Amino acid sequence: MTTPAKNSKATRSSLACLACRLRHLRCDGKRPCCSRCAETSQECNYARSRRGGLDRAALAERRKRLAGAGTQNNGTGVAMADDRTPQALLHAQPELGSLPGFVNANFSGMLLEGMNVDDSSASTASFHLQITSIDKDALIDSYYKNFHRFHPFVLPQRHMIRHYQDPSIQASLQPLIAAMRLIGHIYASREWPTDLKDHFELCCAQAGPSDPVIIQARLLYSIALFWYDHKNQAKSEFDNAIRLAMDLKICRDEFAARYATDDPVLAESWRRTWWMLFVIDAYYAGTLGAMEMQVVDIGATMKLPCEEDEYESGAIPEPKTVQDFDCREFASDDVVFSSFAYLIGAVRCAALAIATLPKRVVKEDSMHIIQAADSALDGWLLLLPKGQKQVMSKTGEIDELMFQAHLIIHVATVGIHRPLSDLKFNPVEDMSSCAREPPPDNPTPDLINVHTARVMRSVEAQIRLLALPVRPFRHTPFTTCMVSEGTLALLSACHFYLKGPKLAIARDQIRMTIGCLKTLAELWPRIARNVREIQTIAQHVLGLGSGPRAMSSHTTPGSNDLPQLVDGDGQGSLGSEGEVSSNDPDILPFLHSIDDLCGWYNIGELDTDLSWGGINGL
């Protein structure tokens, strides 16, 4: 047999063999052995089904087992939730040891209890789909090199390799490894890997419905789906991860102690898994606007994560508690917490600051915001250890968790103060969920200059973070909406506030910000769309023109398909105050045609409150 010629137009078979599928190579699908496997003299196997690899008898047995465990199934092996809240689930579920899937969890040094490859419900195909080694896996390497440091909750690479070498637990790790390889592929190839997506869903279908590894796997998968613009599925995956976490009571400290099997690195991974759920929950709440945090009020007893170098080395110290962190101002000496702990603290402070705000901010709330909301945010900043928690190290490396923590504090400040500041909202910003216009008849507050200064200080702090001398710009995609809200405030400052040299500097800062986002957009399509929307907003706010170009109300514009910004005489289509005219025939269809900048948000349902929806960069 011969392989197709390099210049041939052979198409990828939908029935690729497992070896080619897992290596993400083209396969001609020939039976009983494809051309590639024949050429390399290796075994060639095919999955029985793309919907799980199980025959009718195996599927019937699996359904029977799940029904006996009292679990509803959505067809992909996902444990479906009932109508109870996360808080109700936390208090209503049985103790950890009595949950299905944990009865026989006695492996020494095991990572997670999962599917037994000898189970009668597992097909021959499921066994062959297991990845036997990750020691030299290029996609796993890509995951750890490019993504792990942004959200470091799975085991460090060398510890993961060590755990995976135990044949008795390889099957349980398959969903997590599949999710990691999918993200690694995105960074390596800059494309959505359909085959790896199918493999991930197959692994989840064959895993035990109560395996905690599913929490880690679905959290990673949700992030990849969201920023690849598969937003509905991303939300579903994240919700399922939250529900399973509540079922298993993973927020309790005894969970890490019980299922670490005397492995301190594994215990640390469980602590990080809960707290990363907490952080990502906040990121989604802010990015989506209309959502509230699902776990902010959970009475978690899980201790705080350690430093990153301690996690990587395996030298895990005695973990500190949330109470230790909340009382750090009373410590006799300068107690330093981990970067992860400060990130958790930043999220908690931002949530507390927003919770102090009334649903609709009015003039009389000006002093309340300064006294209450700012106290929470400033307290986090003022208690940072001097010189010990820098975002950039002496060797020029970015502390990614501190980078995110600072962005959260500053975007919360911008969102809280801008409605009461002198930085007016432009109607064109309605296309973005990163800002909301306050009531038009809201009187000017007495402390308007204080609010304006607060916003500008936080915007400048954001710019300093983005300007750190590390290129290319590589951070978690969740920084997009945080950066976008600061950019919208800076655009307003350029239009209403800044003059002369300060205006020129701000314009350069906007160019740099858009350039940073464009770098992330090379990897994530959702960010690419966000960049185009920010460019459109900026052109309108700054009164820049690109020639007449009408927009269809049924299309999303590309970078060269912008609505008309100037009239036939070269005059901007702005009102007397520099605002976009509500009668502009080009901008209104555009505003109603595109999705919002950062979330699942219907532009026809705009409100003006300052709940979570009013600070969507968080």
Side-chain angles (χ1 to χ4, degrees), residues 27-284:
C27 180
D28 55 21
K30 291 183 178 181
R31 304 294 183 99
C33 185
C34 74
S35 300
R36 191 179 298 277
C37 289
E39 187 177 74
T40 57
S41 300
Q42 66 179 9
E43 183 181 4
C44 185
N45 296 287
Y46 290 85
R48 294 185 184 181
S49 169
R50 290 173 61 88
R51 295 182 177 270
L54 306 180
D55 57 24
R56 291 178 182 270
L59 284 171
E61 177 65 24
R62 179 169 167 271
R63 293 192 189 101
K64 181 179 178 181
R65 186 176 71 254
L66 293 180
T71 304
Q72 293 180 326
N73 191 281
N74 70 350
T76 59
V78 182
M80 298 302 292
D82 51 28
D83 294 332
R84 289 173 290 177
T85 63
Q87 291 86 345
L89 286 168
L90 176 65
H91 296 294
Q93 297 301 318
E95 290 303 313
L96 297 173
S98 64
L99 289 169
F102 285 92
V103 177
N104 297 318
N106 296 318
F107 299 123
S108 176
M110 86 180 259
L111 175 63
L112 301 164
E113 193 277 333
M115 182 188 71
N116 186 339
V117 296
D118 294 327
D119 193 302
S120 60
S121 67
S123 68
T124 303
S126 70
F127 178 80
H128 287 297
L129 274 173
Q130 292 185 30
I131 301 168
T132 57
S133 176
I134 60 173
D135 189 7
K136 297 181 180 179
D137 190 314
L139 297 185
I140 294 295
D141 289 342
S142 176
Y143 171 86
Y144 279 105
K145 177 183 178 181
N146 297 296
F147 186 83
H148 177 71
R149 65 186 182 276
F150 305 148
H151 304 289
F153 62 96
V154 303
L155 286 170
Q157 188 169 12
R158 70 184 184 90
H159 297 281
M160 179 67 78
I161 292 173
R162 174 173 58 85
H163 278 276
Y164 197 79
Q165 288 172 346
D166 185 346
S168 65
I169 62 174
Q170 276 192 9
S172 68
L173 290 174
Q174 292 301 315
L176 178 58
I177 296 299
M180 294 166 65
R181 296 184 83 246
L182 184 145
I183 292 177
H185 175 92
I186 290 173
Y187 278 90
S189 302
R190 300 188 179 185
E191 65 178 8
W192 181 254
T194 302
D195 289 348
L196 296 181
K197 170 185 176 292
D198 293 341
H199 177 53
F200 171 84
E201 293 176 352
L202 176 59
C203 290
C204 288
Q206 295 176 336
S210 296
D211 288 342
V213 71
I214 299 297
I215 300 172
Q216 296 179 321
R218 293 201 180 280
L219 179 55
L220 289 177
Y221 189 44
S222 174
I223 295 171
L225 284 168
F226 183 80
W227 293 104
Y228 242 87
D229 239 350
H230 302 296
K231 50 190 177 182
N232 293 329
Q233 190 178 358
K235 181 180 182 296
S236 176
E237 294 289 336
F238 183 74
D239 288 346
N240 284 327
I242 289 287
R243 289 161 185 155
L244 182 55
M246 294 300 100
D247 286 345
L248 303 184
K249 300 183 177 73
I250 194 176
C251 62
R252 296 182 178 176
D253 190 55
E254 57 265 28
F255 181 94
R258 183 177 300 181
Y259 291 98
T261 59
D262 298 323
D263 186 332
V265 181
L266 181 53
E268 175 68 11
S269 179
W270 286 127
R271 285 190 286 271
R272 287 166 173 259
T273 299
W274 163 251
W275 287 117
M276 190 55 68
L277 273 174
F278 179 85
V279 171
I280 297 298
D281 187 29
Y283 287 174
Y284 273 136

Side-chain angles (χ1 to χ4, degrees), residues 379-455:
W380 184 89
L381 288 166
L382 292 171
L383 289 177
L384 284 176
K386 295 181 179 179
Q388 298 184 43
K389 274 298 163 192
Q390 299 294 325
V391 176
M392 174 173 279
S393 69
K394 294 180 179 179
T395 58
E397 297 177 350
I398 296 291
D399 186 331
E400 292 294 339
L401 300 182
M402 290 303 296
F403 181 89
Q404 295 174 43
H406 280 279
L407 279 181
I408 288 171
I409 292 296
H410 293 306
V411 76
T413 302
V414 171
I416 289 171
H417 285 281
R418 189 183 169 196
L420 292 169
S421 75
D422 203 26
L423 304 175
K424 297 180 176 62
F425 288 71
N426 192 300
V428 76
E429 292 183 34
D430 285 354
M431 73 172 62
S432 165
S433 67
C434 289
R436 303 290 172 82
E437 185 177 1
D441 57 349
N442 192 25
T444 300
D446 296 332
L447 300 173
I448 185 172
N449 292 337
V450 175
H451 295 292
T452 302
R454 290 274 188 179
V455 174

